[in-house]
Amino acid sequence: MKLSELKNNETAVIVRVSGHGGFRKRIMEMGFVRGQKVTSLINAPMNDPIKYAIMGYDVSLRRSEAELITVLSESEADAMLSAEDAQAPNYFACGDCSACHSSCFTNLHKTTQRNIINIAFVGNPNSGKTSLFNALSGGNEHVGNYSGVTVDVKTGHFNYRGYHFNVTDLPGTYSLSAYSPEEIYVRRHLQSSMPDVIVNAVVASNLERNLYLTTELIDLSQRVVVALNMYDELSASGAVLDYEKLGSMMGIPMVPTVAKNGQGLDKLLDTIIELFEGKNPDARHVHINYGSVMEPEISALAEQMHKATDLPQQFPARYWTLKMIENDKEAIEILHSCKEFQSWSEIAEKSAENIQIQLDKDVETAISDAKYGFISGALHETFTEGKRDINRKTRKIDKLVANKWLGFPIFIFIMWLMFFVTFSLGSYPQDWIDSGFAALSDWLNSIMPNNALRSLLVDGIIAGCGTVCSFVPNILLLYLFISLMEDSGYMSRAAFIMDNLMHKMGLHGKSFIPMLMGFGCNAPAVMATRTIESRSSRLITMLVIPFMSCSARLPIYVLFAGTFFPNHAATVMIFLYILGVLVAALSAKLLRAVKFGEDETPFVMELPPYRMPTTIAVIKHMWEKCVQYLKKIGTVILGASFIIWLLSYFPRPLVETKNENDETITYTAAADVIDAENSYLGQIGRSIEPIMRPLGFDWRASIAIIASIPAKEIAVSTLGVLYDVKDIDEDFESEALGDSILKDGTFTQSSALAMMIFMLLCFPCIATLGAIYGESNKKRWVIFSIIYPTVVAWLFAFIAYTVSGAML
């Protein structure tokens, strides 16, 4: 907990002191060091500052300063002491903790909290920081070779040489400005969490661009180690880098790494430990010189801000000075509550004017030029370029896949191939799984009496969850293709190819990546819109992503396309995906014209070099999605299947019984008769059937649509329950759901096509609606995402049913 949370008269052990160099040095000189006991004595009348007792004297700290000190309560320390003493009674200086309580507290910290290191991975998109995170923590986060895979904070932990590492993987960002959402997110995290060490992942073969973020971290005055990732690519190009000298010049130790094979990771961890313990000789604070014009302006304001007692202590005064002169809105909002803010603001405004007049350029450009000048000077003394062009292969491939005439046909072919393989190859294991569940149903029918429990197991759980389980191979194959496109770098080319079309839709070129991710799952695709700088494009993109056909809809397509269009199933599926894209495009155009103005945000996106996807990464990605799908089957779909069965099983139909003695007729609930049409579920379906009848849907199809609100796959499991419980008798044998639907005759090719189109375009699942609310923070957009797609789905399904009915 934080020292500021310590109650009066309570004692705690100091675990960690955070903050930037100047503050940290001052507070440690006052005795606030790891292992020391501190007691909270009294709060000032307005609860700030707070008086503490430490090392035999009293000291006053502001609450904001006390928040930078992490402590362990005395009760927690006593409990840990007992545990440590039981496991290793000879470790401490003595066996009786009461005899030397103070030294035991120090030893306790050495054995437990002192060895906890919190690190954060920061780096450009495609720098390999998530690969480093996974390699070190054993995490299961997916690594994609395009901008915007990591859209949220990810955490992991591991042990190394007696230290416990808590690692955090932050979104990829090019700087720490307030330009894009991920930049703001990373800076806020570094300010609030204050990691012990920041690991800056840098692409070794592209130092000049990647080191710009490093200069931003230098301004923060934090403990940083640079991981020169993909160092094998630099070596392969013939380039030579004196990374030790470069690290010494920049005041940041640098370690060559190759995340994919673990090269240099031990050295990286050893360097992190050295930084944490304050023993690395290269670690020192360096001031970037911004030139004869800017430097006096920066120094003057920094001196004024340094005197303030209410300046946020997480970052140094010089950093806040730069942000104020740059007119960084996020930083200005943070500093607005400071007493001297108005005075600082006037000085900063005047400094910005002076800089612009003297240099004939705006402040942001001047600061960027100075940073790149600093980088260029450092590389001039430490880096020798190689003669081999490592991007030559990438450029050759781009001449083909990004060609003006061939780019679109290649992209469409890849999409068609993905769906063809997903359907045709996935049908074999799907049949095996179907056969397995059918055999299980037969076995249960043969050993159990015909009662409610058997109906629940066979007609509810197996008919519902079993049907959805059979689509796992299709899901795996779909994510295999998506993973290959992401990891190889082709996904960024797809965005490049589609930029002009996206612009005509009123969207940003970067919108294509979240939309393409929507083919996998809409919810994370909505979250991926954070990488779009333009707010209007970001909002429009998240609103049209539900039209992108996610993998949860795939079981519905496989069921109906395979049953009613067996010879053209792949073509029908590619038609559905194209239709979803077209509706998304039309909707985006409509939203841009009606609600949002024109977006002039430029299209700037990195095109990383092509890399061969690693087998481990691809398999891990597929396995993650399989586990997520199976978890959904075991929770949401299982629960929904039970509810659907319950509503379809009750009320029980009455059976007439005649007493032979007095010929009295009685009515009892039948144990072995099912009347789904007159059940509670049937009554619900009947009530909405008039709305859905123009689409060719009966009450069962209507119920399946309603049941898909939690997750789209539930539509299939619902149909499995409804069709498998109809007309059951003693001679009933389990059949595939498609055969049951075809035999029943309620669906035709026209109504099956309408069903697929409606499920493609209708309201998104609850998880996606939650993501839309989380990203937009507006309830009205959630309501819009329910009503608008449903109306569009009804109209398109009606047109498809009417037109195809006349043609087929």
Side-chain angles (χ1 to χ4, degrees):
M1 66 177 175
K2 304 300 183 184
L3 179 59
S4 58
E5 299 171 13
L6 196 65
K7 296 180 181 178
N8 289 161
N9 299 317
E10 286 186 347
T11 299
V13 180
I14 296 175
V15 173
R16 180 175 289 107
V17 179
S18 304
H20 68 85
F23 166 77
R24 193 167 183 272
K25 184 174 183 295
R26 174 168 60 89
I27 206 73
M28 291 179 71
E29 288 172 348
M30 297 170 65
F32 289 85
V33 294
R34 295 197 301 260
Q36 284 294 333
K37 290 195 297 180
V38 58
T39 303
S40 176
L41 298 178
I42 190 172
N43 293 7
M46 297 183 69
N47 286 326
D48 198 13
I50 307 170
K51 186 168 74 170
Y52 297 98
I54 187 169
M55 296 182 71
Y57 74 101
D58 298 344
V59 61
S60 174
L61 286 183
R62 287 184 175 272
R63 190 170 292 274
S64 59
E65 294 172 336
E67 288 178 352
L68 301 177
I69 302 172
T70 306
V71 297
L72 186 69
S73 70
E74 196 170 26
S75 59
E76 291 173 319
D78 284 330
M80 288 189 178
L81 273 171
S82 299
E84 289 290 339
D85 195 44
Q87 294 175 5
N90 295 323
Y91 183 87
F92 298 109
C94 66
D96 183 8
C97 288
S98 62
C100 57
H101 207 55
S102 179
S103 64
C104 278
F105 269 125
T106 303
N107 286 330
L108 164 72
H109 179 64
K110 288 180 180 178
T111 60
T112 54
Q113 296 296 318
R114 183 176 188 269
N115 296 340
I116 295 178
I117 305 177
N118 299 316
I119 62 177
F121 284 93
V122 176
N124 289 179
N126 310 304
S127 63
K129 62 180 180 55
T130 304
S131 297
L132 285 169
F133 172 84
N134 286 339
L136 291 173
S137 68
N140 294 318
E141 299 306 331
H142 176 52
V143 184
N145 189 20
Y146 68 95
S147 172
V149 175
T150 309
V151 295
D152 209 342
V153 62
K154 302 175 180 68
T155 60
H157 55 84
F158 62 93
N159 297 318
Y160 177 80
R161 295 192 178 177
Y163 290 84
H164 181 77
F165 286 79
N166 294 317
V167 293
T168 303
D169 181 27
L170 296 173
T173 177
Y174 293 104
S175 73
L176 298 178
S177 303
Y179 178 62
S180 68
E182 63 265 29
E183 290 172 351
I184 297 174
Y185 187 93
V186 171
R187 190 166 69 182
R188 284 177 178 174
H189 181 87
L190 295 179
Q191 183 180 355
S192 60
S193 298
M194 295 173 293
D196 298 312
V197 179
I198 298 172
V199 178
N200 178 205
V202 167
V203 178
S205 58
N206 193 355
L207 288 171
E208 188 168 10
R209 203 281 315 281
N210 278 248
L211 287 175
Y212 185 86
L213 179 58
T214 309
T215 63
E216 300 254 283
L217 296 173
I218 289 175
D219 289 335
L220 295 184
S221 187
Q222 303 292 302
R223 286 177 288 189
V224 180
V225 57
V226 168
L228 297 167
N229 202 26
M230 308 177 205
Y231 202 79
D232 55 335
E233 294 183 2
L234 181 142
S235 301
S237 70
V240 178
L241 173 67
D242 187 347
Y243 58 85
E244 292 181 349
K245 183 177 180 181
L246 178 61
S248 179
M249 293 176 65
M250 301 186 77
I252 296 176
M254 299 191 174
V255 181
T257 61
V258 182
K260 63 183 179 183
N261 60 20
Q263 181 181 329
L265 297 187
D266 287 345
K267 176 61 177 175
L268 177 64
L269 294 176
D270 291 339
T271 305
I272 291 172
I273 294 172
E274 289 178 356
L275 280 172
F276 179 70
E277 298 291 353
K279 298 177 180 177
N280 189 282
D282 292 332
R284 59 191 178 91
H285 182 53
V286 174
H287 277 177
I288 297 174
N289 192 313
Y290 289 97
S292 58
V293 174
M294 287 191 292
E295 197 60 44
E297 303 287 353
I298 294 170
S299 299
L301 180 54
E303 185 177 348
Q304 293 291 324
M305 298 181 75
H306 188 72
K307 297 175 183 178
T309 58
D310 56 353
L311 186 72
Q313 296 295 328
Q314 293 91 337
F315 302 146
R318 184 177 172 88
Y319 172 79
W320 296 117
T321 297
L322 286 166
K323 295 297 112 180
M324 287 204 69
I325 293 177
E326 283 181 321
N327 194 31
D328 187 302
K329 291 182 173 56
E330 178 83 4
I332 288 174
E333 185 177 342
I334 293 173
L335 299 174
H336 198 272
S337 60
C338 295
K339 293 179 181 178
E340 301 296 324
F341 172 78
Q342 190 60 41
S343 173
W344 299 341
S345 182
E346 293 173 1
I347 297 173
E349 187 177 348
K350 189 173 295 184
S351 296
E353 291 178 1
N354 292 338
I355 292 170
Q356 185 160 358
I357 291 172
Q358 294 184 59
L359 297 180
D360 194 25
K361 61 179 73 171
D362 60 79
V363 175
E364 291 179 345
T365 303
I367 290 177
S368 295
D369 289 347
K371 287 181 181 293
Y372 277 117
F374 173 78
I375 295 168
S376 179
L379 292 178
H380 181 73
E381 297 187 31
T382 59
F383 180 68
T384 303
E385 288 190 9
K387 296 181 179 179
R388 181 185 172 191
D389 184 4
I390 60 175
N391 291 319
R392 184 175 60 179
K393 186 183 295 184
T394 292
R395 295 191 183 103
K396 285 185 177 180
I397 297 174
D398 277 344
K399 285 183 179 179
L400 178 66
V401 301
N403 182 273
K404 179 179 180 181
W405 304 108
L406 298 177
F408 274 107
I410 290 174
F411 173 71
I412 293 173
F413 172 75
I414 290 174
M415 293 293 102
W416 177 87
L417 181 65
M418 177 173 70
F419 300 126
F420 177 78
V421 173
T422 297
F423 182 81
S424 59
L425 192 60
S427 64
Y428 296 103
Q430 183 184 9
D431 291 340
W432 303 335
I433 295 172
D434 277 336
S435 299
F437 278 107
L440 179 60
S441 296
D442 289 340
W443 179 70
L444 290 175
N445 280 328
S446 65
I447 66 170
M448 295 182 68
N450 192 359
N451 54 23
L453 179 60
R454 191 183 84 171
S455 178
L456 171 62
L457 294 175
V458 175
D459 305 322
I461 295 175
I462 294 178
C465 294
T467 303
V468 178
C469 278
S470 67
F471 297 105
V472 169
N474 305 99
I475 301 297
L476 286 174
L477 288 170
L478 178 65
Y479 274 104
L480 169 65
F481 275 88
I482 292 177
S483 180
L484 290 173
M485 287 192 293
E486 290 175 354
D487 293 356
S488 66
Y490 180 74
M491 193 77 88
S492 293
R493 272 68 186 183
F496 173 77
I497 293 167
M498 298 296 292
D499 174 56
N500 191 34
L501 182 59
M502 291 289 105
H503 187 69
K504 290 180 179 179
M505 291 164 51
L507 292 174
H508 195 276
K510 281 188 177 181
S511 298
F512 184 70
I513 289 177
M515 291 175 71
L516 201 58
M517 287 177 66
F519 287 148
C521 182
N522 288 168
V526 169
M527 295 173 65
T529 59
R530 296 177 189 175
T531 60
I532 303 171
E533 291 85 359
S534 167
R535 183 185 178 278
S536 60
S537 289
R538 186 164 66 249
L539 190 55
I540 293 174
T541 304
M542 73 175 68
L543 293 177
V544 301
I545 277 176
F547 292 123
M548 311 305 290
S549 186
C550 66
S551 60
R553 296 177 172 100
L554 189 61
I556 302 169
Y557 306 155
V558 173
L559 171 64
F560 284 97
T563 301
F564 292 92
F565 307 94
N567 298 324
H568 306 284
T571 304
V572 170
M573 288 175 66
I574 193 68
F575 161 75
L576 290 170
Y577 280 82
I578 291 174
L579 177 62
V581 174
L582 291 176
V583 173
L586 292 172
S587 299
K589 191 74 174 176
L590 182 65
L591 285 168
R592 177 65 72 184
V594 174
K595 177 64 180 177
F596 303 95
E598 187 176 355
D599 183 16
E600 297 295 339
T601 305
F603 174 61
V604 181
M605 189 185 70
E606 180 183 2
L607 294 176
Y610 288 103
R611 295 188 174 95
M612 183 63 67
T614 62
T615 304
I616 293 177
V618 172
I619 292 176
K620 184 182 289 185
H621 187 208
M622 293 170 62
W623 174 247
E624 290 168 17
K625 299 305 177 184
C626 180
V627 169
Q628 290 178 12
Y629 190 68
L630 291 174
K631 284 182 178 178
K632 188 186 288 187
I633 292 173
T635 53
V636 177
I637 295 175
L638 177 61
S641 296
F642 173 74
I643 293 172
I644 295 297
W645 171 85
L646 197 68
L647 293 174
S648 65
Y649 191 80
F650 294 101
R652 307 301 300 126
L654 298 178
V655 177
E656 181 181 301
T657 304
K658 186 176 182 180
N659 191 309
E660 295 181 357
N661 297 325
D662 56 8
E663 297 186 352
T664 303
I665 298 176
T666 60
Y667 293 90
T668 58
D672 57 352
V673 178
I674 293 177
D675 186 7
E677 186 170 355
N678 294 311
S679 65
Y680 294 128
L681 196 63
Q683 295 172 31
I684 296 173
R686 290 291 185 190
S687 66
I688 63 171
E689 187 178 14
I691 301 174
M692 311 307 290
R693 176 57 67 183
L695 311 182
F697 302 162
D698 68 349
W699 60 275
R700 285 172 291 191
S702 303
I703 291 170
I705 291 170
I706 293 176
S708 70
I709 293 174
K712 295 303 175 186
E713 308 98 315
I714 297 177
V716 174
S717 63
T718 301
L719 291 173
V721 172
L722 293 176
Y723 276 91
D724 280 351
V725 298
K726 184 176 175 63
D727 298 330
I728 285 184
D729 56 35
E730 294 181 357
D731 299 324
F732 177 80
E733 294 183 358
S734 294
E735 298 178 2
L737 177 57
D739 291 339
S740 297
I741 293 175
L742 196 61
K743 185 181 295 184
D744 184 83
T746 53
F747 272 100
T748 63
Q749 284 187 322
S750 297
S751 59
L753 182 62
M755 182 70 171
M756 289 187 284
I757 290 175
F758 190 90
M759 293 304 298
L760 162 71
L761 302 175
C762 71
F763 50 81
C765 67
I766 288 191
T768 303
L769 292 173
I772 291 173
Y773 179 73
E775 296 302 315
S776 67
N777 201 29
K778 300 290 184 182
K779 291 181 180 179
R780 67 172 181 267
W781 294 123
V782 177
I783 297 172
F784 175 86
S785 297
I786 296 172
I787 297 175
Y788 174 74
T790 305
V791 172
V792 169
W794 195 95
L795 291 173
F796 273 85
F798 176 74
I799 293 171
Y801 178 70
T802 305
V803 173
S804 63
M807 297 175 60
L808 296 176

